[in-house]
Amino acid sequence: MAEVERWFVDIGLEVRVDAVGSRVGRLAGERPEVVMSGSHVDSVSSGGAYDGALGVIMAGCAVGWLAATRGRPLRTLEVFANCEEESSRFACNFWGSRAMAGLIEPEEPEGLADGEGVSIADAMRICGLDPAGLADARRTDLAAYVEPHIEQGPVLEETGDLIGVVDRVVGVRGLRVSLTGVGGHAGTLAMAARRDALAGAAEIVLGVERLARGRGAPTVATVGQIEVRPGGFNQVSGLARLTIDFRHPEEEVLAELDGELRGLVASVAAARVLEVEVSQGTMQAAIRFDGRVCTAIEQACRDAGVAWRRMPSLAGHDAQVIGRLCPAAMLFVPSKGGVSHRPDEETQLPHIVSGIEVLARTLFRLAYQPLP
Amino acid sequence: MAEVERWFVDIGLEVRVDAVGSRVGRLAGERPEVVMSGSHVDSVSSGGAYDGALGVIMAGCAVGWLAATRGRPLRTLEVFANCEEESSRFACNFWGSRAMAGLIEPEEPEGLADGEGVSIADAMRICGLDPAGLADARRTDLAAYVEPHIEQGPVLEETGDLIGVVDRVVGVRGLRVSLTGVGGHAGTLAMAARRDALAGAAEIVLGVERLARGRGAPTVATVGQIEVRPGGFNQVSGLARLTIDFRHPEEEVLAELDGELRGLVASVAAARVLEVEVSQGTMQAAIRFDGRVCTAIEQACRDAGVAWRRMPSLAGHDAQVIGRLCPAAMLFVPSKGGVSHRPDEETQLPHIVSGIEVLARTLFRLAYQPLP
């Protein structure tokens, strides 16, 4: 974050740290209302360098270029570097943007802990932030938000378009499943007497995959986390925990999937005489972005002579949270091989440059011109 | 171990620490050859208090009682408190008994590391032991070994017998499986494009269970360890690792199972286009214990008026390693509910007392009387 701050200063922006530690680079305009662009600087564990730091860099380049060539804007421009979006350390995704939108629950700072048991509140104190002042991050001055981001899928690469104008985000839901059977010795516990929690978990993993495949694209469902106890090679598992992540653009389909997945878990547990607990994890409604912001991005693409297409985002993003405060939309640049959340994720430099040009033209329309 | 040493002294035994840190309590006899009894003091992670510490305590009680009531034996009696049998910290089971039998490979002390990366050699140095002196643990003076242990299964409780005279040990084999697919984002990686390593692992878990159940008792096969990478709830698994433990009293059946399990893994990997590596883990041949030692235990049961039955051990034990040095057998006491490798494993006190009496009578026959 120190690097981000130095760079904001270098490109002529005034730097501010908000109450949760996100960094904001500001180019003051004639009016107080703010047109904001940016993304998050954290990544998933074992992730890559582009999701979402590239969005912060693209926004900084675009605003820096506007500051240098167009001077003071009509509306104030800000670059947003969100401190946390990916739940990489705490199970608290969209932390920075939720703080802006006043969507952090009072119990979260003390209640959410990392793998070592450190709460977010303690982690904030270690960074010199006061958890009691968290409400100060709330914003009421936003006029628009544009989030540049890598696509994380193969569509742009396949169609040859350079920009994705993202007009909606799929809904994402998560379930946390805990199965309790009876642990025991791998030699002395006869197969017929077993209530093996891992075997139940394995059935659920395959059932989740079958359900999602059965519905066809764009349905996706994933078991990404699994752990068993006691976990010795010569021990039958008495406990298994897993997560289910499932996504679809339609809320009705998400609700159906939720029912089917809970039914799957219940029937596996019943058949294997396992105790089961299912708790709600992620719960992000499918949302539509603002039509006017999407149109501004499309006009910028036309101005730049760059091929573009409208598309949904299949992943969650800060823009869907900030979109509850102000008109918002996203701009995707291609992901090489459609790869993301992996160390080899990449966006080629010419694609980044096209993206910055389109973003700068979009922000010019939103911040330097009277709105239509 | 300090507690074990103090207790050995209290019951009149001379204490010795061998080259790997096992403790031996000695009651010198007229002759140098040694009749040994005991077990291991370590337990599996999340295990209980009885497997195998009870065996050390039973042997100490029996030898202490003989020392107090029968005086000096014809053959020397020793109580063995093995420092490591369960692979609880290092993947090195039967460490203490293998050291006695000269069965530790030269590369093991430096090559085997715990979860924090500490090698056995370093751990030995921390305890004041010299890894270079490991060969000194080797024994050539053993005349017989009797290992008392909890059954870890439900047979004695079901039949009402108080003692199991263990005349063989099932063979145990282990496989370590590593599956490599393609990781990615749980939202943007379409189901049809996935090569999900965890889904492959789940198929193997269920296949292992199906194979073992299909063959019927006494076949057992267990996946007890599983881990995935990257392991985030919103990440498709690019890597999954699991262990397979399988057991049967007949070597031919073990060899067949080995082929079937490797075939299962290969076919799942091929169907899901996963890279696969299978390496050999545990490899313990099925063995038969010494008929004369079994007979001595049976005679002791008759003398004590205690109901007994011959039975196999479905788990591996030090006696199968020490049995390569001298005639050996085991004596089982009942496990409440057949439970083992769990914190609630228990053997009721009257059953322990019966076991100590039978063991003392057995050791009397082996150490105080001329052998037939």
Side-chain angles (χ1 to χ4, degrees):
Chain A
M1 278 295 198
E3 215 172 324
V4 171
E5 287 186 14
R6 276 195 300 276
W7 182 56
F8 282 175
V9 171
D10 285 348
I11 59 178
L13 308 181
E14 184 189 324
V15 178
R16 192 165 51 78
V17 180
D18 81 0
V20 293
S22 295
R23 264 60 169 180
V24 178
R26 183 178 174 96
L27 177 64
E30 289 166 33
R31 299 193 196 158
E33 74 259 26
V34 172
V35 174
M36 182 179 266
S37 182
S39 191
H40 56 98
V41 290
D42 67 326
S43 173
V44 291
S45 162
S46 306
Y50 292 77
D51 165 16
L54 181 63
V56 178
I57 291 167
M58 288 176 67
C61 288
V63 172
W65 182 80
L66 288 169
T69 61
R70 302 300 173 118
R72 191 183 190 197
L74 182 62
R75 294 175 194 82
T76 295
L77 271 167
E78 286 189 356
V79 181
F80 176 46
N82 179 3
C83 60
E84 196 285 337
E85 189 256 8
E86 294 279 19
S87 299
S88 40
R89 179 171 169 194
F90 300 96
C92 67
N93 56 357
F94 308 119
W95 189 249
S97 47
R98 286 200 292 129
M100 275 193 178
L103 295 173
I104 292 178
E105 300 297 329
E107 68 279 9
E108 285 187 80
E110 298 290 352
L112 291 169
D114 69 8
E116 263 83 57
V118 178
S119 70
I120 291 200
D122 284 338
M124 287 179 71
R125 288 181 197 108
I126 290 165
C127 297
L129 298 164
D130 177 10
L134 202 140
D136 297 341
R138 189 150 187 184
R139 300 292 296 263
T140 55
D141 56 350
L142 298 183
Y145 180 67
V146 185
E147 183 170 352
H149 203 282
I150 63 168
E151 181 199 340
Q152 306 183 262
V155 175
L156 294 176
E157 196 174 70
E158 282 168 17
T159 62
D161 293 308
L162 290 180
I163 299 290
V165 178
V166 181
D167 57 5
R168 65 211 146 101
V169 179
V170 292
V172 184
R173 296 205 192 174
L175 296 175
R176 298 181 188 279
V177 177
S178 172
L179 298 167
T180 306
V182 178
H185 188 288
T188 57
L189 191 53
M191 297 308 293
R194 292 192 181 189
R195 292 165 54 197
D196 182 336
L198 172 55
E203 256 189 73
I204 291 170
V205 169
L206 295 176
V208 167
E209 182 186 56
R210 195 168 50 242
L211 271 174
R213 285 192 171 165
R215 280 195 173 260
T219 310
V220 285
T222 307
V223 177
Q225 281 181 337
I226 187 165
E227 55 167 357
V228 295
R229 292 282 180 278
F233 75 93
N234 58 355
Q235 290 173 304
V236 177
S237 302
L239 178 73
R241 289 198 195 94
L242 58 92
T243 57
I244 307 173
D245 173 298
F246 57 108
R247 301 169 188 234
H248 195 277
E250 309 296 334
E251 279 300 315
E252 312 83 71
V253 178
L254 279 175
E256 284 174 27
L257 276 167
D258 185 82
E260 289 169 12
L261 289 166
R262 286 174 188 268
L264 163 73
V265 170
S267 70
V268 168
R272 289 182 170 272
V273 199
L274 303 171
E275 285 171 44
V276 63
E277 273 182 56
V278 179
S279 63
Q280 188 72 51
T282 314
M283 187 87 180
Q284 296 161 20
I287 62 128
R288 293 196 172 271
F289 282 133
D290 185 78
R292 290 160 301 168
V293 180
C294 289
T295 302
I297 303 171
E298 288 174 329
Q299 288 168 328
C301 289
R302 272 190 214 100
D303 295 346
V306 158
W308 55 270
R309 64 183 296 123
R310 286 232 178 186
M311 61 191 300
S313 169
L314 302 175
H317 294 289
D318 289 316
Q320 73 202 59
V321 178
I322 300 176
R324 295 168 72 162
L325 290 176
C326 67
M330 295 185 72
L331 173 168
F332 275 174
V333 290
S335 288
K336 203 172 160 186
V339 163
S340 177
H341 280 199
R342 276 168 37 189
D344 57 341
E345 70 181 10
E346 189 186 337
T347 297
Q348 294 180 287
L349 194 56
H351 295 164
I352 296 174
V353 172
S354 294
I356 293 171
E357 181 183 349
V358 170
L359 180 61
R361 288 178 183 275
T362 304
L363 297 177
F364 181 79
R365 285 180 172 273
L366 295 172
Y368 285 80
Q369 297 185 335
L371 290 181
Chain B
M1 279 294 198
E3 215 172 321
V4 171
E5 286 186 15
R6 276 195 300 276
W7 181 57
F8 282 176
V9 171
D10 285 349
I11 59 179
L13 307 182
E14 182 190 326
V15 178
R16 193 165 49 79
V17 180
D18 81 359
V20 294
S22 296
R23 264 58 171 180
V24 178
R26 182 178 175 96
L27 177 65
E30 289 166 32
R31 299 194 197 159
E33 74 258 28
V34 172
V35 173
M36 181 179 266
S37 181
S39 190
H40 55 98
V41 290
D42 66 328
S43 173
V44 291
S45 162
S46 306
Y50 292 75
D51 167 15
L54 180 63
V56 179
I57 292 166
M58 288 175 66
C61 288
V63 173
W65 182 81
L66 289 169
T69 60
R70 303 299 172 119
R72 190 180 190 200
L74 182 62
R75 292 177 195 81
T76 296
L77 270 168
E78 286 190 356
V79 181
F80 177 45
N82 179 3
C83 59
E84 197 284 338
E85 189 257 8
E86 292 280 19
S87 297
S88 40
R89 178 171 170 195
F90 300 95
C92 66
N93 55 359
F94 309 118
W95 189 250
S97 47
R98 286 199 292 129
M100 276 193 177
L103 294 173
I104 293 179
E105 300 296 329
E107 68 279 8
E108 285 187 80
E110 298 289 352
L112 290 169
D114 68 7
E116 263 83 55
V118 178
S119 70
I120 292 199
D122 284 338
M124 286 180 72
R125 287 182 197 108
I126 289 165
C127 296
L129 297 165
D130 177 10
L134 204 140
D136 297 343
R138 191 152 187 183
R139 299 293 295 262
T140 53
D141 55 351
L142 298 183
Y145 180 67
V146 184
E147 182 169 352
H149 203 281
I150 63 169
E151 180 199 341
Q152 308 182 262
V155 175
L156 293 177
E157 195 173 72
E158 281 168 16
T159 61
D161 293 308
L162 289 181
I163 298 289
V165 178
V166 182
D167 57 5
R168 64 209 147 104
V169 180
V170 292
V172 184
R173 296 204 192 177
L175 297 175
R176 298 181 188 278
V177 178
S178 172
L179 297 166
T180 306
V182 178
H185 188 288
T188 57
L189 190 54
M191 298 307 292
R194 292 191 182 190
R195 290 164 56 197
D196 183 334
L198 172 55
E203 258 189 70
I204 292 170
V205 169
L206 295 176
V208 167
E209 182 186 56
R210 195 168 50 242
L211 270 175
R213 285 192 171 165
R215 279 195 173 261
T219 310
V220 285
T222 307
V223 177
Q225 281 182 335
I226 187 166
E227 56 167 356
V228 295
R229 292 281 181 278
F233 75 93
N234 58 356
Q235 290 173 302
V236 178
S237 302
L239 179 73
R241 289 199 196 93
L242 58 91
T243 56
I244 307 173
D245 172 298
F246 56 108
R247 300 169 190 234
H248 195 278
E250 309 297 336
E251 280 299 314
E252 313 81 74
V253 178
L254 279 176
E256 284 174 27
L257 276 167
D258 185 83
E260 289 170 11
L261 290 166
R262 287 174 188 266
L264 163 74
V265 169
S267 71
V268 168
R272 289 182 170 270
V273 198
L274 302 171
E275 286 170 45
V276 63
E277 274 181 56
V278 179
S279 62
Q280 187 73 52
T282 313
M283 187 89 179
Q284 296 162 20
I287 62 129
R288 293 198 171 271
F289 282 133
D290 185 80
R292 289 159 302 168
V293 179
C294 290
T295 302
I297 302 171
E298 288 174 330
Q299 288 169 328
C301 289
R302 273 191 213 100
D303 295 346
V306 157
W308 55 271
R309 62 184 296 121
R310 285 233 178 184
M311 61 190 300
S313 168
L314 302 174
H317 294 288
D318 289 314
Q320 72 202 61
V321 178
I322 300 176
R324 295 168 72 162
L325 290 175
C326 66
M330 296 185 71
L331 174 167
F332 276 174
V333 290
S335 288
K336 202 171 161 187
V339 163
S340 177
H341 281 199
R342 279 169 35 188
D344 57 341
E345 69 181 11
E346 189 186 337
T347 296
Q348 294 179 287
L349 194 56
H351 294 165
I352 296 173
V353 172
S354 293
I356 293 170
E357 180 183 352
V358 170
L359 179 62
R361 289 180 183 274
T362 304
L363 296 177
F364 181 79
R365 285 181 172 272
L366 295 173
Y368 285 79
Q369 298 186 332
L371 290 182

